[in-house]
Amino acid sequence: MSGMRIGILGTGNVGRALASAWARAGHEVVIGSRRPDDRELRAELEELTAAGVRIDGSAGAAAHAEVLVNATPGTESVALLTTVGAPALAGRIILDVGVGFLEDGTLSHPVVSLGEEIQRAFPGTRVVKTLATVDRKVMVAPHSLAGPGTVFLSGEDATAKKVVRGLVTDLGWSDDAVLDLGGIATARGQEHFALLFIGIAQATGTYEFGIRVVLPAPGGNGPDH
């Protein structure tokens, strides 16, 4: 997909990586901050602005966006979106990559998911959860892995998922690497994978890895469960 207007909420490592990658792919990207005029922040984001990414406030990023990306900490996402306001978000696709952790390392959404909470809080939006199972570097450089990985989509709106799939492939993921899990409730699996993600990272010494869904071989006689 080319030429979409993308707003990104969150100026941390994930937001910056996605902003840079989608700008390179030809999209119009605005990254939103609660302190857009801060000189120190603008200095940190100078490489992004040189690549054509514009810095604005959270409301400005949302107003710009056809697709609004939530790359904020999961413990703060709903509150931040509330400051933008439901009327300003109405009709928007929200591409949610957030996962929430408490100070003790447990998930802040242990029963449901952040994706579900955003959808319930803003029913006029179309929330699609994706990219929550990989590190920020792998998000934008899947070719850096030794083999193909799988990323996932969760959401209620088929058109919104088609748009998000296109943006994910613009990051370098092949179309067959993107697996649609179903409705937004399936975002629980994506977010709760974070606990296994941490275990794998500790065992391997790196956050730069992927997972792959491997199906039975054609004609295989695997056991039924």
Side-chain angles (χ1 to χ4, degrees), residues 73-218:
T75 52
E76 303 174 14
S77 300
V78 172
L80 177 60
L81 288 166
T82 299
T83 67
V84 175
L89 297 173
R92 297 286 192 274
I93 296 172
I94 297 182
L95 190 164
D96 175 36
V97 302
V99 177
F101 285 99
L102 301 177
E103 290 184 5
D104 63 0
T106 58
L107 291 172
S108 60
H109 301 84
V111 178
V112 291
S113 65
L114 173 62
E116 288 171 279
E117 287 200 349
I118 294 173
Q119 186 64 84
R120 290 172 185 171
F122 304 98
T125 67
R126 295 172 287 165
V127 180
V128 181
K129 190 83 184 189
T130 192
L131 298 173
T133 54
V134 289
D135 162 81
R136 63 182 173 86
K137 293 182 180 179
V138 176
M139 281 184 193
V140 300
H143 58 274
S144 65
L145 301 177
T150 304
V151 288
F152 307 95
L153 301 177
S154 300
E156 302 297 332
D157 188 282
T159 300
K161 285 196 281 191
K162 182 178 180 180
V163 171
V164 170
R165 178 185 287 269
L167 292 177
V168 170
T169 59
D170 281 347
L171 298 175
W173 296 88
S174 63
D175 186 66
D176 63 1
V178 185
L179 179 60
D180 188 341
L181 299 178
I184 193 62
T186 65
R188 300 175 194 181
Q190 293 196 56
E191 294 183 26
H192 294 184
F193 174 76
L195 300 177
L196 180 56
F197 181 94
I198 292 171
I200 295 171
Q202 291 173 339
T204 60
T206 181
Y207 292 106
E208 295 178 43
F209 60 87
I211 56 173
R212 179 70 179 175
V213 175
V214 182
L215 300 176

Side-chain angles (χ1 to χ4, degrees), residues 2-14:
S2 61
M4 292 203 74
R5 299 189 310 277
I6 300 174
I8 298 178
L9 299 180
T11 57
N13 290 331
V14 172

Side-chain angles (χ1 to χ4, degrees), residues 31-52:
I31 192 164
S33 169
R34 285 172 285 194
R35 49 188 184 95
D37 298 320
D38 185 276
R39 290 184 179 181
E40 185 176 335
L41 175 66
R42 286 188 168 271
E44 291 175 5
L45 300 180
E46 187 174 355
E47 186 174 339
L48 284 181
T49 55

